[in-house]
Every structure is written in structure tokens, then in C-alpha cells.
Amino acid sequence: PTWRLVVARSAFFAALLLIGFMVAGPKLQLPVWKAAAPVSPSTSSIQEWNSGPETAPQLTESAAQVSQVQPQVFPSLPVTLGSLWAMVTIVLLLRQTIGLAQVANSSKTMKPASQSVHELWSRVCEEIEVQPSRVLLAEHNCTPHLSFNGDLILPQDVTESQTPSSALVHVLRHEAAHLQAKDHRLFPFISALTNLLWFHPLAWWLNALHLQACEDARDAAAARQGGVDAYRATIAQLALRWIPVRSGTPSFFRKGSGLKRRLNGVGKTVRQRPAS
């Protein structure tokens, strides 16, 4: 996942630099020479002009009528495509903005987690040397994830007595790895770039590649601290509870993430070097 993260993020930042250069860069105006096609008068028109001066006014009158006809102006293809791109981009960015605003508003009404969960979260963050954030409990069904400002959102059932404390520690280590890498700030930025490049299939593929690589890298970071077998057991225990829930933010589980692929991938990625 380290190289997949590098490839995806480098491609997105290169696209951002290219867009900025096209918008704010110098405008290159290159001279273009076009050879004019020679116009030769037809034989009939020459004969009419040579036949007598009485035909000259008729030709002049017909030429004046043709010059008065105004051609119909249609928008060019670049203008049409540009307008289509702008409309779709505005809709996608507006949808993303509304979603982030709804998440921010919902987090204001959430209750803070218990003192024991806060202390456990603080100890986990100290292990990887990252500043701990607030821990909030969501009333609706969701998977553990980080908000845009770094708050940890946990579902109500994750702190219940039926959830083992070791499983909760693994979940917190996974989210702490996201917090250390600042994935919660980078995900909306890359989503916005994907919306700008919505017409290009490669942008959507890179976005999916980046999401999957982030989850694999954070799984490896959590497994290095808690052990591969114990971490895989936590994924298996909590999968049936959280996989069906959709989430648009970095979260512990994603719909369609491929549980079998994830369980097998933890043992492979944990032996790789962590991303810098």
C-alpha cells in the first residue's frame, strides 16, 4: 500500500499543478499561417460580364443580397463541453459540501464517550506520538471514523460490554493511524479533485485506489502493534456488524471492501515498510 499511496497522491497533485498552470500560467500565442485557396472566376460569369454592361447591375444586386444574409451563430464545441463540465462540477462539489456540513452539524449534537474510552484513546495516541482528539458517540448506525476536524466518531454498540476491550483497542489503533497520517483532511481534498476531473475515468480509479491503499496501510500499522492474528480476529468479529453501513469518510469498514481480501492482505502488508 505504500507505493499505491505514492502513485495515487502523486497523480492527483500532478493533475492539480497542471490545472493551476492552465488557469494561471502564461498564455502561449503561436503564429499560425494558413495558405488561402485561390479563387478563380467561373467561365459563365466571365461570359456574362463580357456580353454587355446591362448584366453588371444584376450581378451587383445579387451580390448585395447575399452579403445581407447573416449566418446563424451556434456555440462552438469547446464552449458546449466547457459549460457541461462546469454544471456537473458545480453539482458534485455542492453535494460534497452539503455532506460535509451535515456531518459537522451532526457531530455537534453527539455526546462525548465515557472517561474510560477517552483514557484508552489517549494511551493509543501516545503509542504512535499523535495528539489525541475528542471521542464522540453517534446515535445512528455508523462505522468508527474520523471527522474533518479529527474527532473520533464511535457507534453506540462499540462501547458496550459485548465488545471485547482488545477489539476496541484494535479499532482505536486503526483510527489513530488515520489521525497520524492526516487522512481525514486529505480525503475531502482528493474527493474534490475527483469531482473536478469527473469526466476522466482514471480519476475515479485513482480515488478508489487511494481509499483502498489508505485502509490497507492503516490495517498494517494497527497489526504491527497488536499482532496479526489478534487484529484479523477483531476484523472478523466486527465485520458482520459494520460492513453493511455506508460511510463517506475514512472508516474502519467500507461497503464492498472485500472482507476475505482484507483478512488475507493484513498478513502481507504487515511485513512491508510503513509509509513515511
Side-chain angles (χ1 to χ4, degrees), residues 50-102:
N50 294 334
S51 62
E54 64 276 0
T55 58
Q58 299 177 0
L59 293 176
T60 304
E61 183 179 358
S62 62
Q65 294 176 356
V66 172
S67 62
Q68 294 177 359
V69 178
Q70 297 294 334
Q72 296 182 359
V73 179
F74 295 98
S76 60
L77 182 60
V79 174
T80 304
L81 295 179
S83 302
L84 177 62
W85 169 82
M87 289 188 296
V88 176
T89 302
I90 291 174
V91 171
L92 293 177
L93 291 178
L94 184 62
R95 178 186 178 187
Q96 180 183 0
T97 304
I98 294 175
L100 292 176
Q102 291 177 349

Side-chain angles (χ1 to χ4, degrees), residues 69-189:
V69 178
Q70 297 294 334
Q72 296 182 359
V73 179
F74 295 98
S76 60
L77 182 60
V79 174
T80 304
L81 295 179
S83 302
L84 177 62
W85 169 82
M87 289 188 296
V88 176
T89 302
I90 291 174
V91 171
L92 293 177
L93 291 178
L94 184 62
R95 178 186 178 187
Q96 180 183 0
T97 304
I98 294 175
L100 292 176
Q102 291 177 349
V103 173
N105 292 331
S106 62
S107 62
K108 296 179 180 179
T109 60
M110 294 180 184
K111 299 179 181 179
S114 61
Q115 185 65 25
S116 60
V117 176
H118 275 282
E119 294 176 355
L120 187 59
W121 172 243
S122 298
R123 289 199 301 268
V124 169
C125 291
E126 289 176 0
E127 292 177 358
I128 60 176
E129 298 179 355
V130 64
Q131 186 68 23
S133 58
R134 296 187 306 170
V135 182
L136 304 176
L137 296 180
E139 297 179 358
H140 57 279
N141 292 330
C142 69
T143 65
H145 64 277
L146 296 174
S147 63
F148 181 74
N149 57 358
D151 293 336
L152 176 60
I153 310 299
L154 296 177
Q156 290 281 359
D157 55 355
V158 78
T159 58
E160 295 176 355
S161 58
Q162 62 184 7
T163 302
S165 58
S166 59
L168 179 59
V169 171
H170 291 153
V171 172
L172 296 181
R173 283 172 176 168
H174 179 96
E175 300 304 327
H178 278 300
L179 183 63
Q180 184 187 35
K182 295 180 174 58
D183 292 334
H184 58 288
R185 297 290 179 85
L186 198 58
F187 269 100
F189 177 72

